[in-house]
Amino acid sequence: MTKPYFLIGLAALTLGLAATDLTSAQAATWHSGTPKALRHTWFYNGRGNNKAYITYSKTKSTGNLFGLDATSKRYYRLPGYGLKKLRYQALGHGVYRLSGVQYSPKGSRVQFDGQRMTYKIKLQKKHIHFYKGYANYGRKTTFPTMKTPAIF
């Protein structure tokens, strides 16, 4: 008489464990590349000479500060560094976690070159918000820009 109750209890326990295993499968997964809506050049319109840019392509990000050309009073992009082999995780409501390997342009070296870096952003139509560092980047600059000047 106790054997049927034991088997019923064992079946209920097995079903309960299987159901909890199914719910954990809904966790956010990592995708290679960047979200399509993020692939663009974004600008930080800071005060004074505190202006920056970041460009996202399918597999990498490149960014740096702007330099000021004294003769023309226009800003130009300094050589960029960033992350390659990007992957992302969608956290919901336009929030993404990005991760990639840090790289620098030829001839220069950043402090954590070759190490994996992970950060979180919130993507909206007209701007992105970084949870660390420079806060908001927009799609347009509010300052005059030019191509990088030729060095004599």
Side-chain angles (χ1 to χ4, degrees):
M1 202 79 181
T2 60
K3 283 186 181 181
Y5 293 117
F6 174 74
L7 291 175
I8 292 172
L10 183 63
L13 180 65
T14 305
L15 259 164
L17 289 175
T20 58
D21 191 32
L22 290 175
T23 57
S24 67
Q26 296 174 356
T29 59
W30 287 94
H31 306 280
S32 62
T34 58
K36 287 183 181 179
L38 186 63
R39 296 177 195 163
H40 194 275
T41 299
W42 302 87
F43 302 99
Y44 177 70
N45 298 306
R47 295 182 183 157
N49 289 336
N50 192 15
K51 299 171 183 350
Y53 71 95
I54 189 165
T55 302
Y56 286 97
S57 68
K58 185 175 182 177
T59 59
K60 71 179 190 173
S61 68
T62 304
N64 202 349
L65 296 172
F66 277 91
L68 178 62
D69 183 38
T71 57
S72 68
K73 303 284 189 210
R74 292 179 175 266
Y75 291 90
Y76 61 93
R77 295 181 191 183
L78 295 172
Y81 59 91
L83 301 176
K84 60 184 176 180
K85 299 180 183 175
L86 276 174
R87 57 187 183 158
Y88 72 96
Q89 189 178 34
L91 303 177
H93 303 289
V95 178
Y96 295 95
R97 182 176 293 129
L98 286 113
S99 182
V101 177
Q102 196 166 11
Y103 75 93
S104 57
K106 291 181 181 180
S108 67
R109 202 168 149 80
V110 291
Q111 184 176 3
F112 300 108
D113 208 8
Q115 292 186 6
R116 183 160 290 279
M117 184 177 142
T118 303
Y119 60 96
K120 195 164 84 169
I121 62 169
K122 181 171 178 89
L123 174 63
Q124 296 175 334
K125 267 188 175 182
K126 303 258 183 191
H127 70 277
I128 55 176
H129 173 76
F130 286 84
Y131 287 94
K132 289 184 179 179
Y134 294 107
N136 293 316
Y137 279 65
R139 287 195 179 248
K140 298 186 184 221
T141 62
T142 58
F143 51 89
T145 60
M146 63 184 267
K147 292 191 182 236
T148 305
I151 299 175
F152 297 47

